Amino acid sequence: MSQMKELPQVGFKEAAVNACKKMFQFKGRIRRSEYWWGVLAITIAAFVLSLIPIIGQIAILFVGIAGIAMIFRRLHDTGRSGWWWGCSCCLGIIAGVLFFSSIDFQAYMAAASSSDMSAMMNVITSGLTGGTGIAALLLYIARMVLGLAIFVFTLLDSQPEANKYGDSPKYVVEG
């Protein structure tokens, strides 16, 4: 009978290298240690790149793509589709569009030009209390709940057996 053997954890250096090498790789699986070390590496890289004008902003785009690819692979490792993250983004975009369409920007800009904070808040409040604004708020809440679920999924252990996304990067069959 074969048993599963756990491979050693991935360190910071290996995770940072893999984040760069697999920047556009959305298929496959990534184990928990590699994901979280990769998140740290990407966060540090994004901070450093943000200090560089123009070119740094373009480079941050690629760092962001690497982060998205990592979360897709991490969700695959737990047996879930990476499109959980995609659905979260779609909810956020739709909520943002609804939010901005619910606000009277001419009234807001008039209040802003006169530096009247209470008038600015009244414009935003009246926009959010309408049907479109309420729908935007509900979608934002749904996105937060989905984001929390995705965060919990990234904390879960790898599936020990192979799944439809590939072999386990953490466990190997011994014997």
Side-chain angles (χ1 to χ4, degrees):
M1 179 183 257
S2 61
Q3 286 187 312
M4 301 300 270
K5 176 185 173 189
E6 186 175 328
L7 296 173
Q9 290 187 356
V10 174
F12 176 79
K13 182 179 177 183
E14 186 180 351
V17 168
N18 284 343
C20 292
K21 278 184 183 177
K22 300 176 181 178
M23 185 178 294
F24 299 107
Q25 182 179 338
F26 289 81
K27 294 181 180 183
R29 295 171 62 172
I30 185 174
R31 59 188 293 185
R32 198 172 26 189
S33 61
E34 184 175 351
Y35 174 75
W36 287 110
W37 282 120
V39 167
L40 179 62
I42 283 176
T43 302
I44 292 169
F47 174 75
V48 170
L49 290 170
S50 72
L51 302 174
I52 304 169
I54 302 169
I55 295 172
Q57 305 308 310
I58 294 167
I60 286 175
L61 175 69
F62 289 102
V63 170
I65 292 170
I68 294 167
M70 281 185 4
I71 198 161
F72 265 60
R73 293 193 317 267
R74 180 68 198 125
L75 288 169
H76 290 170
D77 193 44
T78 63
R80 290 163 182 84
S81 170
W83 289 107
W84 279 80
W85 182 86
C87 289
S88 174
C89 281
C90 288
L91 282 176
I93 291 168
I94 294 168
V97 167
L98 289 175
F99 173 76
F100 285 114
S101 68
S102 70
I103 295 183
D104 181 4
F105 277 103
Q106 289 178 337
Y108 182 82
M109 293 309 289
S113 66
S114 65
S115 299
D116 187 358
M117 288 297 277
S118 66
M120 290 166 56
M121 291 306 296
N122 286 339
V123 170
I124 292 174
T125 304
S126 66
L128 291 178
T129 56
T132 306
I134 291 172
L137 289 173
L138 290 174
L139 285 174
Y140 274 128
I141 291 169
R143 184 177 190 271
M144 288 183 349
V145 170
L146 187 57
L148 182 62
I150 292 168
F151 174 71
V152 169
F153 294 157
T154 64
L155 298 175
L156 296 176
D157 195 16
S158 300
Q159 284 187 333
E161 65 281 344
N163 63 22
K164 67 180 180 178
Y165 304 106
D167 293 330
S168 174
K170 182 175 182 177
Y171 300 102
V172 294
V173 177
E174 197 177 53

